[in-house]
Amino acid sequence: KTTKTTKKKMAEETEVSEVTLMSSDCKKFTVKKDVANMLQTVKAALEDTTDGDVVPISNVKGEILQKVLEYCEFERGEGAEMAEDDRKQWETNYLELEHEPLFELILAANFLNCQSLLDLTCKDVANQIRDKTPEEIRSHFNIKNPTPEEEEEV
């Protein structure tokens, strides 16, 4: 005779513990379900899929999705137990990116609804522009000066 507790344990053991995500350029990443669940967009998609389905991430390229998952794995793993100074050092190293991949990471964090990553990346950009003039910001991010017509629109 099986008890409710035994049935519950059996159900938990048969539950899929890994999820496969596929980027817009068809790169596949298999991660633990608790890591994937940090991405609210993926978490919602998992509710509508059957076990073993590949979850397509249509707006995110493979190299950026890999970077997002690296962050999520850190948060669910060693980062959760890390001292504050060590954590800040990891984040500093993690964010050592050129501008384009950093902005793609921000867009991915927003699309995937990963608030902690979105906060971290936006804070990094805010720190980059702190105490800079508009001209210095344009230079830093390689932004062209607006035309007179564009200036009027603002």
Side-chain angles (χ1 to χ4, degrees):
K1 182 178 176 183
T2 55
T3 64
K4 280 185 179 179
T5 308
T6 307
K7 285 181 182 178
K8 186 177 178 184
K9 273 188 179 177
M10 288 170 56
E12 287 172 0
E13 288 170 9
T14 59
E15 187 179 314
V16 176
S17 61
E18 289 189 331
V19 176
T20 302
L21 309 176
M22 186 170 62
S23 64
S24 62
D25 50 357
C26 298
K27 293 182 181 161
K28 291 184 180 178
F29 301 89
T30 301
V31 295
K32 291 180 180 172
K33 194 169 190 175
D34 69 321
V35 170
N37 282 336
M38 283 187 66
L39 311 171
Q40 297 304 306
T41 304
V42 172
K43 185 177 183 178
L46 288 173
E47 293 171 3
D48 297 331
T49 61
T50 57
D51 292 343
D53 284 354
V54 174
V55 179
I57 310 296
S58 59
N59 293 8
V60 183
K61 292 189 294 189
E63 68 182 74
I64 300 300
L65 183 56
Q66 182 175 358
K67 200 77 174 145
V68 169
L69 295 173
E70 177 187 348
Y71 172 81
C72 293
E73 287 170 346
F74 172 78
E75 283 292 306
R76 285 289 185 246
E78 64 183 294
E81 319 250 328
M82 201 175 263
E84 189 64 27
D85 288 346
D86 294 337
R87 184 181 180 79
K88 287 199 181 304
Q89 184 58 55
W90 185 91
E91 289 172 351
T92 299
N93 293 342
Y94 174 80
L95 290 170
E96 285 181 1
L97 297 167
E98 296 292 323
H99 294 138
E100 186 175 339
L102 176 60
F103 289 119
E104 288 180 25
L105 191 58
I106 290 170
L107 293 172
N110 184 53
F111 173 72
L112 295 168
N113 198 359
C114 183
Q115 193 61 50
S116 59
L117 179 57
L118 185 60
D119 291 346
L120 178 67
T121 52
C122 287
K123 180 181 170 189
D124 185 59
V125 171
N127 288 335
Q128 289 182 41
I129 64 175
R130 180 172 286 125
D131 300 326
K132 286 189 166 79
T133 66
E135 285 305 314
E136 290 170 329
I137 293 169
R138 283 189 190 105
S139 174
H140 181 76
F141 291 111
N142 203 17
I143 300 169
K144 295 175 185 162
N145 285 328
T147 65
E149 294 82 21
E150 291 171 331
E151 281 283 344
E152 270 183 37
E153 289 177 18
V154 178

